[in-house]
Amino acid sequence: MTQVITPLMSSETGILIGLLAPLLVGLVTPLLAVRSLWRDAAGPLGAVVTFVAALHVAGAVLAGETPRLVLLEFADGLRFEFAVTPLGAVFGLVASGLWIAAGLFSVGYMRGNHEKHQTRFAAFYAVAVHAALAIAWSGNLLVLFVFYEILTFSTFPLVTHKESKAARDAGRLYMSILVGTSVVLLLPAVIYVWVKTGTLDFVPGGILAGYVAPEVVPWLLACFAFGTGKAALMPFHRWLPAAMVAPTPVSALLHAVAVVKAGVFTMLTVIVYVFGIDFLAESSGSDWLVWLASFTILASSFVAISKDDLKARLAYSTISQLSYIVLGAAIATSIAAQGAALHIVMHAAGKITLFFCAGAIYVRAHLTKISELDGQGREMPLVFIAFFLGALSIIGIPPLGGSWSKFYLMLGAMERDLVLVLAVLGLSSLLNIYYLLEPVQRAFFRPKTRQVEVTSQPLTVIPPVATAILSVLLFFFVDQIDALAKLVAG
Amino acid sequence: MNDAPLAVVLAENWNYLVVITLMMSGLFIVISRSNLVKKLVGLSIFQTSVFLFYISVGKVAGGTAPIITGDPDTLYSNPLPHVLILTAIVVGVATTALGLALVLRVYAAFGSIEEDEVLAMKAEDGFPLLRRAAGREDGE
Amino acid sequence: MSIYTLFNNLPALLVVVPLLLSPIATLIPSGRLAWVIALLGTGVSVIAAMLLCSVTASGIRITYFLGNWPPPWGIEFVVDGATSLTAMVMATLAFLATLFAGRALAAEIAAKDVGKAYAAWLLACGGLYGLVMTADAFNLFVFLEISALASVILIALGAGQDRRALIAAYNYLVIGAVGATFYVIGVGFIYAVTGSLNMADLAQRIPDVEAGSIIYVGFGFMVAGMLVKAAVFPVHIWLPAAYSYAPAAVSTLLAAIATKAAIYVLARIIFTVFGGVPEVTALALEWVVVPLSIAGIFLGTIMAIYERDLKKMLAFSSIAQIGYITLGMGIATGAGIAAGFIHIGNHALIKGGLFMAVGGIFLATGARVSVDSMAGIGRKMPVTAAAFLICGLSLIGLPLTAGFISKLYLVRALLDNDNLLIVGLVLASSALSVVYLWKIVEVMWVRSARVDAMEISERPALYIPLWLVAISNIWLGLDAGWLVGAAEAAAASLLGAGG
């Protein structure tokens, strides 16, 4: 892909376009509100532009460059700059690529549901994507922190979109956990790194070795791990199920892809480029995190089983899957880190499919509970087939993309002789099979218990089918992304 | 001076004793009284004690008033603290005047100059200039 | 008078112009014209402060002898990096507040009083500038009282809307007078053992004084007096009522600049005048200033969370924010003092903007602004509410706003000293501040307006100054280089002058 696009723009312009396009969409949307068609076209169009830019940037990274864009100097040699690491390139691709599908889907969903305040929704949606891309491509910890906060604040209007009491309460929980943890734990950790090393840049191999005593490492890592509330590590995971009051497009792109992936991306980046895998492995500062992540994986799977609400079940499944990525980072071997980076992509494609399906079911049949789905498979076959494929990918069954990342994660665990972790991964897969395939099984193999009127909303069906196909393709055409993921681990 | 008996020390520094007594009684009145005028009286006493403190500090033992006598051996008292206190008196007078003016206004608006009574009263506006009939509500 | 002499007299001009224009403003029957005069007075001060800043930026320390009497006999004005930065912040904010007052003050007080109000306004500004410029310990008391009495008058003007303003003004008068008198007592002790009132002179003489206990006592009285004026917890009790019952424009002015001057003086006393006796100051900093700051940060925030009245909430939040400033100063390292100065500037911007926004809402709705009456304001007054949001995010310390820079440097200064516990406390409280601010944001946008709520219009005269402040909040969050550099220079000059 590099060869095709390179002549069109330098990688610096690529970053600029990729960042500006969503921001512009966000700013222009209110002006376009006079015609709902113009307004709704802006999102997907901007998404395509952004994705092309992200592809280009990723191409440059694959070619061994570090695309860089310095905007201004804050103070004291703290630059406001973007510099794309391989990991950032991966996350940028995921966020912008899935935005195309989510942009289309959200048009169908919002229209089909006759939601209010569609303009505000579209504007903040684009701004949130902008923040996610800026996180992906941030050049140092400070810039990352800045956009981490902006992402929180820009998603607040989306979470409280319904303006009901439940939405307000959820918004409060959302803000207090995300802002609270980031301010109390993440910010001091960032400043601590700055004070100790004098830099906040992302350097392959890390910057902390030699500046921080090994006994401090677990504590500092804890500040980062819990400070990154978006990674939804237990016990700071409550915001994610709460955020499910938001319209499904938000849950799909933001709370399965952009926001939560921004969290685990931060964790991975910090571990790979700030701590350094080797330094972390030497000081064994991340051992505790391996066990906490394992605990989160299992505990949230059990909670997911108990949920009858489809979106709530998916939310707990997300919490569980996010901990796979944290686990990969915490194992601190290059194979595991590669697996973690891959899992960002694979889980994103799979989970967004599931959320799209949940949204489609809601818009078309107004069903939200799993127990209500009995026999609905014949009414909405495409949706449930897409759901089935997405679920298989998350479970990690070939030939679906998710199998790659699980494979690497297991390899990483083997490398460090973490047999128990292997057991956790296996058990979690079994649980996944149970709770993710239940809706499909009910839809196709149970007699229909209720008659519902199913409306036709093509814009809510095409995106899940597309992302389900993507999940399949990701199994076969994984080399480019795998190459990027390999670069992550160095 | 630490060798001298306490009584002698106190007697030699009687001016400070006066200052401290006045200062503490003034401050006590400000804090303990609820009557707004009495508070101002206390404040005045408190400030006056400080004036006395400065003036007595400026006195040089055996010195005369700081008016040039022509005799180079004359011992003068330090005039500077006295001048400072002139300024401070002016400030004190202004403070008291403004305070009393405020008390008058408080009395006009609340019908009382007892602080605890006044504080207990509700928000009810004094002389609202900017009030709209519809949609208003009290702050508390 | 040539340009040269004009330039030479800049330090005096900054103070004298507002003071001289004040009696003129009293005589003017037209409130509009009086406002123009006030604009002129504060505008000249801004220019003077900017010029002073540009001079001190090159490391020059300006000394100015009032009436050409050299110290230690005459009164001296000293302008170094710290002075010019503080003066600059205060003058700019005073000017913006005056801009805002044009419409706001006239709406809240009787037409015949407007001229006199501006007279008090100019007196308060001039007094506060003098407080910052003077290098004479007793002259400082005079400026302290000029500004205090003028502020009392301004606060009492709020009685047109709410009679409780009178009590607030009275309490401020009495508590402020007690504080100022404490300060004078302290000066008296120090004068008795050193025989000087000039700060630089004092700084040299104090270390040589034999009677150490008198230094302790004098220092204690001076610091206690200024703590009252700076509204540091627990002697902040005058502040919430004074800020919340004063007219909107007055709240803006006082919140933006009044306590800042007192904090500056506090730093001057501790680091310059008593810089030569660190054993005395360290005692006060470690056992008084830092613990009180932290207590103030927490209690101010918690009180703000439980407060429903907006202006009072902002006033409580001021107490917490003052705590951040004094905490930075309290750790007494160059970085800490610089962080304090950064927050002096940024907090003036933040609180000035917030009070302006609340004032604008109050003037548009005609009712005291409480959390409940803000419902739906986000849609009814989008321009004002958006500016409120920006300043509010800056208060929380969201990245890309001025407040973030403050927090960044404060935490950095604390971590430099390995004060991990204090870092934790500071950040926990700053996370708490999200609670009260977000409550308002939620009410403004997420909750819909009451059905019977009236039509509301926004006035450019009110929101233009507000937006100037809001934009500065973002600008200083993006490009903090100047402020950080100036604050570091200020810290260096404070510490250097004492060493």
Side-chain angles (χ1 to χ4, degrees):
Chain A
M1 53 192 172
T2 326
Q3 296 74 14
V4 188
I5 310 161
T6 306
L8 289 178
M9 48 183 166
S10 77
S11 53
E12 192 178 86
T13 3
I15 299 182
L16 202 60
I17 293 176
L19 289 175
L20 280 185
L23 189 60
L24 213 62
V25 170
L27 293 178
V28 168
T29 302
L31 304 177
L32 296 180
V34 280
R35 292 270 179 85
S36 56
L37 180 68
W38 295 355
R39 179 194 65 201
D40 294 344
L45 272 182
V48 172
V49 174
T50 313
F51 182 59
V52 171
L55 267 181
H56 175 73
V57 170
V61 173
L62 259 186
E65 293 176 43
T66 304
R68 193 177 286 277
L69 176 72
V70 183
L71 282 186
L72 53 92
E73 195 138 326
F74 266 127
D76 267 18
L78 269 189
R79 286 175 314 283
F80 197 87
E81 75 171 339
F82 296 97
V84 185
T85 59
L87 188 60
V90 171
F91 181 38
L93 275 180
V94 171
S96 59
L98 293 179
W99 185 29
I100 304 178
L104 285 172
F105 177 78
S106 95
V107 173
Y109 181 91
M110 298 303 277
R111 284 186 178 180
N113 239 357
H114 308 292
E115 292 270 352
K116 284 190 208 158
H117 307 302
Q118 292 192 19
T119 308
R120 179 183 74 190
F121 180 85
F124 279 105
Y125 201 79
V127 172
V129 174
H130 163 74
L133 276 167
I135 291 175
W137 294 344
S138 56
N140 56 47
L141 259 183
L142 188 71
V143 177
L144 192 147
F145 179 78
V146 165
F147 285 98
Y148 181 93
E149 293 290 1
I150 290 180
L151 184 58
T152 311
F153 280 84
S154 62
T155 44
F156 174 78
L158 301 174
V159 172
T160 55
H161 183 81
K162 292 209 174 84
E163 300 187 0
S164 59
K165 175 145 185 352
R168 274 208 303 275
D169 290 346
R172 271 183 209 165
L173 188 67
Y174 186 78
M175 290 301 289
S176 49
I177 292 185
L178 291 186
V179 177
T181 52
S182 71
V183 165
V184 177
L185 296 169
L186 185 57
L187 180 62
V190 170
I191 300 178
Y192 186 82
V193 171
W194 184 30
V195 169
K196 289 293 170 196
T197 65
T199 175
L200 285 174
D201 291 344
F202 298 138
V203 177
I207 53 176
L208 279 180
Y211 290 99
V212 174
E215 59 270 19
V216 181
V217 171
W219 297 102
L220 190 58
L221 185 67
C223 277
F224 276 112
F226 293 118
T228 318
K230 292 196 169 95
L233 208 56
M234 281 184 178
F236 293 112
H237 65 287
R238 286 279 304 125
W239 64 271
L240 186 57
M244 291 299 141
V245 296
T248 309
V250 175
S251 312
L253 183 64
L254 299 177
H255 297 127
V257 180
V259 173
V260 290
K261 293 292 152 39
V264 287
F265 169 79
T266 307
M267 282 302 300
L268 255 181
T269 305
V270 165
I271 285 180
V272 175
Y273 298 111
V274 175
F275 282 93
I277 292 178
D278 297 336
F279 179 56
L280 205 56
E282 273 166 35
S283 62
S284 31
S286 64
D287 291 358
W288 65 274
L289 189 57
V290 171
W291 301 118
L292 183 67
S294 307
F295 172 78
T296 306
I297 290 174
L298 290 184
S300 55
S301 294
F302 283 116
V303 178
I305 291 174
S306 70
K307 295 286 172 189
D308 187 33
D309 185 277
L310 183 54
K311 277 176 80 179
R313 181 174 289 192
L314 293 182
Y316 274 98
S317 153
T318 305
I319 296 173
S320 160
Q321 297 291 321
L322 290 175
S323 277
Y324 276 73
I325 299 168
V326 176
L327 179 68
I331 289 175
T333 66
S334 48
I335 296 272
Q338 186 184 346
L342 270 181
H343 201 60
I344 287 185
V345 185
M346 304 308 176
H347 173 251
K351 193 46 76 56
I352 203 170
T353 310
L354 300 189
F355 270 110
F356 282 161
C357 294
I361 295 167
Y362 176 66
V363 173
R364 298 180 60 197
H366 291 282
L367 298 176
T368 57
K369 296 217 178 332
I370 293 163
S371 51
E372 297 168 345
L373 295 178
D374 291 1
Q376 300 297 340
R378 249 150 273 154
E379 301 285 344
M380 299 175 271
L382 276 178
V383 171
F384 279 100
I385 290 171
F387 194 100
F388 179 61
L389 288 175
L392 285 186
S393 177
I394 287 176
I395 296 163
I397 294 173
L400 283 130
S403 50
W404 285 114
S405 48
K406 281 213 174 160
F407 174 65
Y408 282 123
L409 282 175
M410 289 184 169
L411 269 184
M414 293 274 274
E415 209 175 349
R416 297 251 335 243
D417 292 329
L418 295 165
V419 183
L420 214 54
V421 171
L422 278 180
V424 167
L425 291 177
L427 179 58
S428 156
S429 293
L430 287 178
L431 291 170
N432 278 340
I433 292 175
Y434 176 73
Y435 68 80
L436 285 180
L437 292 184
E438 188 196 352
V440 184
Q441 178 259 339
R442 277 175 181 269
F444 285 119
F445 302 115
R446 290 258 185 118
K448 196 186 274 186
T449 51
R450 57 169 67 208
Q451 208 61 44
V452 287
E453 196 181 327
V454 177
T455 52
S456 157
Q457 291 286 347
L459 269 184
T460 59
V461 179
I462 299 166
V465 172
T467 50
I469 295 171
L470 181 68
S471 290
V472 180
L473 291 181
L474 277 174
F475 178 80
F476 296 102
F477 302 98
V478 77
D479 1 339
Q480 299 268 10
I481 292 181
D482 193 37
L484 271 176
K486 223 175 229 129
L487 282 178
V488 171
Chain B
M1 89 181 179
N2 285 339
D3 306 334
L6 183 66
V8 177
V9 174
L10 288 180
E12 276 176 355
N13 295 299
W14 65 275
N15 53 330
Y16 295 117
L17 279 182
V18 172
V19 167
I20 291 169
T21 314
L22 283 178
M23 197 181 276
M24 289 306 120
S25 24
L27 198 56
F28 179 74
I29 296 171
V30 172
I31 295 168
S32 64
R33 291 298 105 171
S34 158
N35 184 304
L36 298 181
V37 175
K38 287 184 183 165
K39 266 181 188 285
L40 282 179
V41 172
L43 185 65
S44 287
I45 295 175
F46 181 53
Q47 288 179 326
T48 311
S49 74
V50 181
F51 304 161
L52 284 179
F53 169 60
Y54 267 70
I55 291 168
S56 58
V57 163
K59 168 71 181 172
V60 176
T64 172
I67 303 167
I68 295 176
T69 57
D71 178 2
D73 292 333
T74 319
L75 188 61
Y76 297 112
S77 286
N78 186 349
L80 188 65
H82 301 183
V83 180
L84 296 179
I85 286 319
L86 266 183
T87 321
I89 288 173
V90 174
V91 171
V93 168
T95 310
T96 313
L98 183 58
L100 287 173
L102 275 174
V103 174
L104 268 182
R105 293 293 300 271
V106 168
Y107 186 68
F110 291 86
S112 166
I113 53 167
E114 293 292 325
E115 194 181 18
D116 38 10
E117 289 176 18
V118 168
L119 285 180
M121 287 184 202
K122 279 289 291 178
E124 185 49 38
D125 314 19
F127 340 89
L129 290 172
L130 186 142
R131 183 201 290 233
R132 299 204 190 160
R136 68 161 290 119
E137 55 188 341
D138 274 321
E140 283 166 19
Chain C
M1 189 163 72
S2 71
I3 291 290
Y4 184 72
T5 45
L6 196 68
F7 212 82
N8 260 355
N9 287 308
L10 269 181
L13 277 179
L14 176 69
V15 179
V16 169
V17 168
L19 290 184
L20 281 185
L21 286 176
S22 159
I24 300 178
T26 356
L27 301 176
I28 292 183
S30 147
R32 209 71 198 151
L33 199 60
W35 174 58
V36 173
I37 289 180
L39 265 188
L40 184 75
T42 46
V44 168
S45 304
V46 174
I47 296 169
M50 277 183 178
L51 290 173
L52 286 178
C53 252
S54 67
V55 175
T56 54
S58 46
I60 298 171
R61 182 169 172 275
I62 308 169
T63 53
Y64 180 86
F65 309 146
L66 285 184
N68 267 335
W69 287 88
W73 298 284
I75 292 169
E76 184 191 22
F77 276 8
V78 171
V79 185
D80 58 16
T83 320
S84 63
L85 175 63
T86 318
M88 168 84 182
V89 168
M90 288 169 53
T92 316
L93 263 295
F95 180 73
L96 289 169
T98 315
L99 214 55
F100 176 76
R103 189 58 89 142
L105 211 51
E108 274 192 77
I109 60 181
K112 64 178 170 57
D113 295 335
V114 175
K116 291 169 201 137
Y118 281 114
W121 182 279
L122 284 166
L123 269 183
C125 293
L128 289 170
Y129 301 152
L131 203 55
V132 174
M133 308 290 286
T134 188
D136 182 283
F138 196 84
N139 185 236
L140 195 148
F141 161 71
V142 176
F143 280 122
L144 199 62
E145 283 304 76
I146 292 180
S147 59
L149 293 183
S151 313
V152 168
I153 298 172
L154 289 172
I155 295 166
L157 285 172
Q161 295 300 328
D162 189 326
R163 56 182 177 173
R164 285 175 294 182
L166 293 170
I167 294 293
Y170 179 89
N171 280 333
Y172 180 41
L173 178 85
V174 172
I175 297 171
V178 171
T181 311
F182 265 73
Y183 173 79
V184 177
I185 297 172
V187 172
F189 277 116
I190 300 300
Y191 178 70
V193 289
T194 60
S196 175
L197 289 170
N198 181 283
M199 288 185 181
D201 221 25
L202 284 173
Q204 281 181 350
R205 293 189 193 188
I206 284 173
D208 302 332
V209 171
E210 304 269 318
S213 59
I214 296 187
I215 297 289
Y216 276 99
V217 174
F219 175 75
F221 270 109
M222 286 169 86
V223 168
M226 290 321 293
L227 286 178
V228 172
K229 286 286 179 182
V232 171
F233 178 85
V235 280
H236 65 280
I237 34 175
W238 57 270
L239 185 140
Y243 281 13
S244 60
Y245 296 126
V250 175
S251 313
T252 309
L253 180 76
L254 294 183
I257 73 173
T259 50
K260 308 295 179 299
I263 293 171
Y264 166 83
V265 172
L266 199 58
R268 240 317 154 225
I269 294 173
I270 293 177
F271 298 114
T272 304
V273 178
F274 290 88
V277 280
E279 70 279 7
V280 178
T281 55
L283 191 73
L285 290 173
E286 252 171 63
W287 294 100
V288 180
V289 175
V290 170
L292 287 187
S293 303
I294 293 173
I297 289 171
F298 263 93
L299 287 161
T301 310
I302 290 168
M303 303 274 256
I305 290 175
Y306 285 106
E307 184 60 56
R308 306 294 293 176
D309 183 87
L310 251 268
K311 274 173 102 178
K312 265 207 181 134
M313 181 193 281
L314 293 182
F316 283 126
S317 132
S318 276
I319 292 161
Q321 300 292 322
I322 289 167
Y324 286 121
I325 302 177
T326 48
L327 176 62
M329 305 254 180
I331 56 177
T333 57
I337 298 170
F341 271 102
I342 293 173
H343 202 48
I344 283 186
N346 288 343
H347 178 244
L349 277 176
I350 295 168
K351 250 334 130 45
L354 287 175
F355 270 109
M356 275 187 199
V358 173
I361 296 171
F362 163 69
L363 291 169
T365 58
R368 265 197 92 77
V369 185
S370 70
V371 172
D372 307 293
S373 73
M374 296 273 279
I377 285 290
R379 302 224 180 80
K380 297 222 152 197
M381 306 180 67
V383 182
T384 309
F388 183 94
L389 179 66
I390 292 176
C391 296
L393 292 179
S394 189
L395 180 74
I396 301 175
L398 180 77
L400 302 186
T401 60
F404 177 65
I405 302 290
S406 296
K407 205 188 307 177
L408 189 66
Y409 279 88
L410 179 61
V411 171
R412 186 182 152 190
L414 289 167
L415 279 179
D416 253 344
N417 273 18
D418 283 326
N419 288 323
L420 288 179
L421 179 68
I422 301 182
V423 170
L425 292 173
V426 164
L427 291 168
S429 81
S430 105
L432 279 179
S433 68
V434 178
V435 175
Y436 63 83
L437 218 111
W438 209 252
K439 190 164 69 182
I440 304 169
V441 172
E442 194 189 284
V443 165
M444 283 203 295
W445 276 284
V446 181
R447 208 177 299 163
S448 46
R450 300 208 333 245
V451 188
D452 62 342
M454 66 212 117
E455 275 308 303
I456 294 172
S457 61
E458 291 179 272
R459 295 211 194 96
L462 294 178
Y463 65 64
I464 288 174
L466 169 60
W467 267 96
L468 285 177
V469 175
I471 290 169
S472 326
N473 264 311
I474 292 182
W475 177 53
L476 283 179
L478 286 173
D479 182 19
W482 175 80
L483 184 63
V484 171
E488 275 164 359
S493 64
L494 264 188
L495 288 174

